[in-house]
Amino acid sequence: RPELLSPLLLMLIVRQAAPLGIAVIGQSLCMRILSIDLSFGGVAMGVSYILTSGYVPGSQGTLIAISLVFGVAVGLANAFFIVRLRAPSVIVTLAMGILLTGVVMAFSQFRAPGDAPEILRYIGQARVWGVPLAPLVWFALLIPIAWFLRKSVLGHYIDAIGANPRAAMATGIPYPAIVILVHVASSVFAVISGFLIVGFVGMGSLDIGRDLALNSLAAVILGGVTFGSGRGGMLGPAVAAFMLTFLFNLLTSFG
């Protein structure tokens, strides 16, 4: 399928990969501290409901702000069960995703959602000098975060926790605070990913983000981030997110 390598289609595939790429940033942070986040699908559905149901009052900016607060709340809830109750992150975040999905379905009663806010439709579908805007949002988040994690004390703390949590705590690294921060950041990235998906589709959907958790996990692993190594950058998972999206398009083209 050589047409998939044309500049036009590659641009479209990069735009499709942007929501997954942003989710991969959060998943990569979690895996680097030996945690995991499987609540992305529920968060994305919650964002879609907040933005498009019409039952949440407020302007476009208010709805976006409410969605971000919702993401922070989900991250704090995940971190509470993981840090305070020492529950496995797989169980906690998977349960959170299922719970959020059920709540959205209960409130929506499977009714068709409304249109996405105009500003998100613009970000999801617009182009700047021929380049889709959504990938620019992705890169604008990816590059500073990758640089910050490589150069900052926080980045070194995350690497130390990923290599050996007990040794990291013994040296005085604030393990609970970093776990809370990482899970809140992961949920916020899931919210931003939901923004792009809703903007790209142009309306809400009960299927939005359903495969986001497992696809982000696959991309992070393919990108070279592994449990227990304390290593792994952001470039590898970002490339893997693009390649997974390219693969989906390739398989679709073969029927």
Side-chain angles (χ1 to χ4, degrees):
R1 293 293 188 268
E3 64 272 10
L4 288 177
L5 297 178
S6 67
L8 177 61
L9 285 181
L10 283 177
M11 283 290 183
L12 292 176
I13 293 173
V14 172
R15 185 177 70 173
Q16 287 180 323
L20 176 59
I22 292 175
V24 161
I25 297 175
Q27 192 70 268
S28 177
L29 289 172
C30 288
M31 287 192 63
R32 287 175 67 173
I33 61 166
L34 303 183
S35 189
I36 199 171
D37 193 343
L38 298 179
S39 63
F40 286 170
V43 172
M45 286 185 64
V47 168
S48 174
Y49 181 80
I50 291 171
L51 294 174
T52 65
S53 67
Y55 289 105
V56 182
S59 63
Q60 295 184 26
T62 302
L63 294 177
I64 291 173
I66 292 173
S67 299
L68 291 171
V69 172
F70 164 72
V72 171
V74 171
L76 288 173
N78 286 337
F80 171 78
F81 286 105
I82 293 169
V83 174
R84 294 296 182 185
L85 303 184
R86 301 182 182 274
S89 59
V90 174
I91 302 300
V92 170
T93 57
L94 180 61
M96 179 63 74
I98 294 172
L99 176 64
L100 293 175
T101 300
V103 169
V104 170
M105 288 184 175
F107 275 98
S108 66
Q109 294 295 306
F110 297 97
R111 287 191 294 268
D115 293 333
E118 183 178 352
I119 185 172
L120 295 182
R121 293 201 304 270
Y122 176 80
I123 294 174
Q125 301 171 11
R127 292 174 176 267
V128 178
W129 297 310
V131 179
L133 188 56
L136 298 181
V137 175
W138 175 19
F139 299 146
L141 293 171
L142 174 67
I143 295 172
I145 290 171
W147 180 87
F148 178 77
L149 291 175
R150 184 179 293 272
K151 299 296 184 180
S152 68
V153 173
L154 177 62
H156 294 308
Y157 282 175
I158 290 174
D159 291 341
I161 291 173
N164 192 323
R166 291 187 177 181
M169 286 191 291
T171 58
I173 292 176
Y175 174 77
I178 291 176
V179 172
I180 293 171
L181 178 63
V182 165
H183 273 279
V184 169
S186 179
S187 293
V188 170
F189 285 125
V191 170
I192 299 173
S193 178
F195 287 163
L196 291 188
I197 297 175
V198 171
F200 180 72
V201 175
M203 60 183 299
S205 170
L206 295 180
D207 292 327
I208 278 181
R210 178 168 293 180
D211 299 326
L212 203 56
L214 293 182
N215 287 342
S216 65
L217 184 60
V220 171
I221 294 172
L222 291 173
V225 179
T226 56
F227 285 109
S229 67
R231 297 178 181 177
M234 289 290 177
L235 178 60
V239 174
F242 169 77
M243 291 308 300
L244 276 177
T245 308
F246 183 87
L247 179 61
F248 296 153
N249 283 272
L250 177 64
L251 294 176
T252 301
S253 71
F254 280 110

